[in-house]
Amino acid sequence: MNFEDKVSQPYTCTLNETAIKKAEVELNEDPLTRGEKLNHLKELFKSRPDIRFRQDDAFLLRFLRNKKFEVDRAFKSLIHHYQVRRDYKEIFTNYRPIFVKRFYDLKHDMVCPGKDVDGRAVIVIRPSVPDDCATVIDRARSVIMLLETLVLDEDIQVNGIVYVIDCESFSWAIMKQSSPFLMKKIVDSYLNSIPIRIKAAHFVRPSLWFKAFYAVIRPFLPAKIKQRLHFHGNGIDTLHTYIPSVILPSELGGQLPGYDNTEWVNKTLAAEEEFIYNEQFGFIKSK
């Protein structure tokens, strides 16, 4: 789909009544003024002729919702979205799902087939690299692309996500690649390049290498995110007080048979055209 076709598509809200109410209460979204906020945001684009902004309403609403419909904050977030893609070329070059498919095939990550009690999507991540040819950057890219696909869902835009990070397999293979300089880029990409609400992160079974890794990334985490981190040690029983066991895999003491990422891997791979479409936007290259 070309730029003009995408922009001309009218926005159709897909939220149910519960999510619409939540968006009104928590995100200051008003269906009566939604269009006005979108137009205000688009007007701000004129102040940055050095950036080619994507302008379809469905895309821009992700940023407005993420910043509680504060237009100036949404505009700054959108600029940073493009800055990250310009500056972190090692992450965002060849930024398409097909290039990280081998990580998805290993089933290291999983979007649980259900929501937590607050209606939030639950993403289980096992940080690891499968072989000596794999890099931490490739691994991070696979997760970031999964998040990009998740945020296409309006319900997730409103309710947000919860991470469960199973650190048992975290090893020296990851740690030796994790310089503070690189980790700052990856953390920035996770937290600021995608307008998704991160409501909590639960860490279970931390290895010694993970504890060292966390000491590296902790300085780069904003205070709000630090307040949403939960560390469960080697036991997983306390995890179930936050995340229903009925939606967790058996490896985490859940009632599901095991890790199965098929549904969301297929959705991510099917979104290839969305990733290709996004490549035409961002900072305009000087001639």
Side-chain angles (χ1 to χ4, degrees), residues 27-243:
L27 307 182
N28 303 314
E29 181 168 355
D30 184 346
L32 297 178
T33 60
R34 186 190 287 136
E36 178 185 328
K37 297 283 188 178
L38 284 164
N39 289 334
H40 183 187
L41 179 58
K42 292 174 186 178
E43 280 296 311
L44 294 178
F45 294 169
K46 296 176 182 178
S47 68
R48 293 300 303 262
D50 56 325
I51 300 174
R52 189 183 191 211
F53 292 94
R54 182 171 165 177
Q55 299 197 33
D56 55 292
D57 292 350
F59 175 78
L60 298 179
L61 276 171
R62 303 172 202 170
F63 292 86
L64 285 169
R65 285 172 175 148
N66 189 248
K67 297 303 178 184
K68 299 186 176 181
F69 275 78
E70 296 178 26
V71 177
D72 289 340
R73 290 180 65 219
F75 181 51
K76 291 177 182 177
S77 176
L78 190 53
I79 292 172
H80 192 69
H81 168 84
Y82 290 125
Q83 286 174 331
V84 164
R85 281 155 170 72
R86 177 196 63 186
D87 296 342
Y88 303 162
K89 296 187 184 303
E90 62 268 63
I91 298 174
F92 292 98
T93 299
N94 293 326
Y95 185 66
R96 298 179 187 176
I98 194 64
F99 292 114
V100 294
K101 183 177 182 298
R102 71 188 184 105
F103 289 97
Y104 297 142
D105 291 341
L106 293 167
K107 299 185 178 181
H108 285 289
D109 308 318
M110 171 182 174
V111 180
C112 295
K115 306 292 177 64
D116 73 358
V117 294
D118 294 309
R120 305 174 296 196
V122 178
I123 297 94
V124 179
I125 296 175
R126 290 184 289 181
S128 61
V129 291
D131 52 53
D132 292 337
C133 295
T135 68
V136 167
I137 291 174
D138 289 334
R139 187 70 184 89
R141 279 154 48 87
S142 70
V143 177
I144 295 169
M145 289 183 208
L146 178 62
L147 296 178
E148 291 255 28
T149 307
L150 283 164
V151 83
L152 295 174
D153 186 321
E154 286 198 292
D155 185 76
I156 291 175
Q157 292 171 27
V158 171
N159 288 294
I161 64 170
V162 173
Y163 287 118
V164 176
I165 298 119
D166 185 354
C167 308
E168 187 176 35
S169 60
F170 196 98
S171 66
W172 169 243
I174 302 175
M175 189 64 201
K176 69 181 180 181
Q177 299 180 39
S178 303
S179 69
F181 181 67
L182 177 59
M183 288 302 101
K184 184 177 186 299
K185 291 183 178 183
I186 290 176
V187 169
D188 192 17
S189 299
Y190 274 137
L191 298 182
N192 301 314
S193 73
I194 304 167
I196 197 164
R197 305 180 73 198
I198 301 173
K199 303 303 293 181
H202 297 269
F203 297 86
V204 298
R205 299 190 287 222
S207 67
L208 290 176
W209 287 120
F210 173 78
K211 293 175 181 178
F213 172 81
Y214 179 69
V216 173
I217 67 169
R218 191 177 189 280
F220 307 129
L221 300 176
K224 181 173 71 172
I225 292 296
K226 290 177 183 175
Q227 293 170 1
R228 297 177 180 180
L229 304 182
H230 305 267
F231 297 90
H232 297 275
N234 290 323
I236 55 177
D237 291 343
T238 56
L239 175 66
H240 298 161
T241 64
Y242 296 90
I243 311 294

